[in-house]
Amino acid sequence: MPSLLTIDQGNSAAKIAVWKGPELIDEETLPRLEREALERVVDSFAPSKALLCSVTGNGARITRWLRSKGVEARELSSELPLPLTIGYSAETLGADRIAAAVGAWSLFPGENSLVVDMGTAVTYDVVTADGRFAGGNIAPGVGMRLRALRSFTARLPEVNGYGDTPLFGHDTTTAMRAGALRGVVAELNYYRGLLPPGTRTVLTGGWSRRISEFLDFPVTVDSCLVTKGLLSILLYNENLPIYSENKTCIDK
């Protein structure tokens, strides 16, 4: 079976993964997507097909380059055949949200899921048990909230999201950190409470592990959710099963 290539280009990192069917054979995470890394992957594994998800606007350029190397490459959009139906304005739905939703569906088919991607922004998306992307909301992420407090006020300091985070702050630094982190936790609890009992909560993105420390209910944290969704979409378009217990990804 020819190898398949998936590329998840986020705002702060890029994941490149090579697969033989559902089996991961190589993966690399980079601060940004570099031509040298792509050349190394293409030369080493000669992937026949690739699916790219980019939130940085460089997807068309990368796709053209891969095609020039003989790879049948596509950029993910709602126009591609998908294992989920989309109940959302297709032309405005981000590819990363599509991939994360498919990733959750491929891991937990037949279950209702709240899919939360905690990156620069945080998205709360609903996947129904019958395989429908039912919609979702977008809010500022933890880092964005803290930067906004610093940028749009005269005296509040620069604060990062790691460190002492009490329930209520005991100084300005802890008040800002707790406000940003626990604000996201409160949003997550609110949306979860709106959904049917038993809905699975799946977290991904750079802040997912940090936020999971403050939750008092079971969640699945998977930093490779978008990558797994891209793979499932590739397999679906090859008429292969999208779900496999052997599907793996290095969860960093």
Side-chain angles (χ1 to χ4, degrees):
M1 175 183 294
S3 61
L4 304 172
L5 173 65
T6 60
I7 302 171
D8 169 21
Q9 171 66 75
N11 285 301
S12 57
K15 287 187 174 72
I16 304 172
V18 183
W19 310 82
K20 288 281 190 181
E23 180 185 355
L24 179 71
I25 58 175
D26 189 71
E27 184 191 43
E28 188 170 0
T29 300
L30 305 166
R32 61 183 180 277
L33 194 58
E34 299 173 342
R35 176 73 62 83
E36 293 79 6
L38 282 178
E39 288 178 341
R40 183 169 60 252
V41 168
V42 171
D43 291 344
S44 298
F45 299 101
S48 62
K49 297 187 178 182
L51 187 59
L52 165 70
C53 169
S54 176
V55 300
T56 62
N58 63 350
R61 177 175 56 82
I62 295 169
T63 300
R64 286 194 300 270
W65 183 86
L66 287 168
R67 288 174 179 171
S68 74
K69 297 295 183 179
V71 182
E72 186 181 331
R74 297 189 66 173
E75 188 173 5
L76 176 60
S77 75
S78 59
E79 297 178 358
L80 193 68
L82 300 170
L84 296 180
T85 58
I86 304 296
Y88 192 98
S89 178
E91 63 272 14
T92 67
L93 181 57
D96 55 331
R97 294 172 68 190
I98 296 173
V102 173
W105 174 253
S106 69
L107 294 173
F108 307 110
E111 298 187 33
N112 293 311
S113 295
L114 175 62
V115 185
V116 187
D117 192 341
M118 297 180 170
T120 303
V122 55
T123 57
Y124 305 91
D125 291 324
V126 177
V127 178
T128 63
D130 59 354
R132 181 172 179 266
F133 183 102
N137 292 342
I138 305 173
V142 172
M144 187 183 294
R145 295 174 196 223
L146 291 170
R147 288 193 297 274
L149 288 171
R150 172 68 182 92
S151 298
F152 295 106
T153 63
R155 300 183 64 183
L156 290 179
E158 182 176 345
V159 175
N160 67 49
Y162 293 87
D164 185 18
T165 310
L167 184 59
F168 293 99
H170 49 72
D171 57 20
T172 298
T173 295
T174 55
M176 290 172 63
R177 182 182 297 122
L181 286 162
R182 295 188 183 277
V184 173
V185 170
E187 286 179 2
L188 178 52
N189 274 289
Y190 171 73
Y191 291 126
R192 180 173 175 267
L194 298 176
L195 298 174
T199 296
R200 187 180 292 272
T201 302
V202 186
L203 308 183
T204 192
W207 287 97
S208 56
R209 292 196 182 280
R210 176 69 168 139
I211 291 295
S212 70
E213 298 171 7
F214 300 91
L215 302 177
D216 59 0
F217 55 87
V219 298
T220 298
V221 180
D222 191 333
S223 66
C224 295
L225 195 66
V226 170
T227 294
K228 291 174 180 177
L230 291 171
L231 171 65
S232 287
I233 294 166
L234 270 176
L235 294 175
Y236 180 78
N237 279 267
E238 293 296 304
N239 296 313
L240 295 171
I242 70 167
Y243 177 75
S244 169
E245 292 183 356
N246 295 321
K247 186 183 301 179
T248 59
C249 185
I250 302 170
D251 194 12
K252 297 179 181 179

